[in-house]
Amino acid sequence: KELLICIIGLFILGAINIYFGGIINGKASLANLSREMFGIMACTLFAITYIGKDFISKTINHTLTAGHRRNKVLLGKYITYIIACIIILLTNYLFMGGLYRWGQSFTESELYFVIVYISMGIFFDLCIASIPFFICILIRNSSIAMVLSVGVIGLISTLSQMPWDTVAYSIGSKDISLGVTPIIFSLLFIIITALLYLICNHFFKKM
């Protein structure tokens, strides 16, 4: 239900973007920062509703009292969340980019761009979208978790200007001017996400 709501919301935003966004073709829409922001915020909304519902209905408590280890419960929740986010992000790319004409000849080079750009974009977005999940796991109050999640994501997006999207675009375009920056950037995202997961796991065991 929560996933369906997020997908319907993205469809509405995609329709609004088509009529009022002033974007001329699919490639421009695909690389638009508003599309990036819509996807991450949809994942944040899903994290709040998905985890919040479990705490309100005490599903997690029942799972733990049934004898399941906390680290396995957390891992299971996180994997489910990541799969749902992949669906949300793919839907976002489809609605924001696929509803337009591409705007130029769709050659093998353009196909390579689409595959690589979307794959790298989803990778970076999943790392960013993991933050609301960790917040919602550690803070059981849905209202506080929502405010913190939206605030943190908004702060990251505003201060960073989303450079990961530029990196994904450069990789898809076979632009080598960035040198080893994409590799360093990718490793940095993996390390930070892994550290946040370990921190979340540590505190979740003590809750």
Side-chain angles (χ1 to χ4, degrees), residues 35-71:
R35 188 269 316 150
E36 184 82 11
M37 202 62 225
F38 290 156
I40 295 176
M41 292 310 295
C43 290
T44 301
L45 175 63
F46 178 75
I48 295 166
T49 54
Y50 170 58
I51 301 299
K53 183 193 71 173
D54 279 0
F55 278 121
I56 291 173
S57 63
K58 299 189 181 298
T59 304
I60 290 182
N61 291 359
H62 296 154
T63 304
L64 293 173
T65 53
H68 298 283
R69 295 176 61 182
R70 285 178 178 264
N71 58 344

Side-chain angles (χ1 to χ4, degrees), residues 83-205:
I83 293 172
C85 283
I86 290 174
I87 295 172
I88 290 171
L89 293 170
L90 282 173
T91 303
N92 184 45
Y93 278 105
L94 174 63
F95 288 161
M96 296 300 184
L99 296 180
Y100 287 90
R101 291 185 177 181
W102 190 245
Q104 61 190 71
S105 300
F106 198 81
T107 61
E108 288 185 8
S109 177
E110 293 300 308
L111 178 61
Y112 173 85
F113 169 81
V114 170
I115 293 173
V116 174
Y117 178 69
I118 290 178
S119 298
M120 292 303 300
I122 288 177
F123 162 73
F124 289 130
D125 287 347
L126 287 177
C127 293
I128 298 296
S130 293
I131 296 174
F133 173 85
F134 299 142
I135 291 174
C136 292
I137 284 290
L138 296 178
I139 300 177
R140 300 186 181 187
N141 187 302
S142 297
S143 300
I144 297 175
M146 179 179 67
V147 172
L148 278 176
S149 297
V150 173
V152 169
I153 293 299
L155 191 63
I156 290 174
S157 301
T158 303
L159 295 180
S160 67
Q161 296 299 309
M162 295 184 279
W164 58 87
D165 188 67
T166 302
V167 171
Y169 192 94
S170 298
I171 296 173
S173 302
K174 300 181 181 179
D175 182 3
I176 60 173
S177 62
L178 293 180
V180 297
T181 300
I183 298 175
I184 295 174
F185 218 78
S186 300
L187 289 175
L188 187 63
F189 267 64
I190 293 172
I191 292 170
I192 291 175
T193 304
L195 284 174
L196 290 176
Y197 178 85
L198 291 174
I199 292 170
C200 181
N201 187 48
H202 173 75
F203 285 104
F204 184 66
K205 286 180 178 179

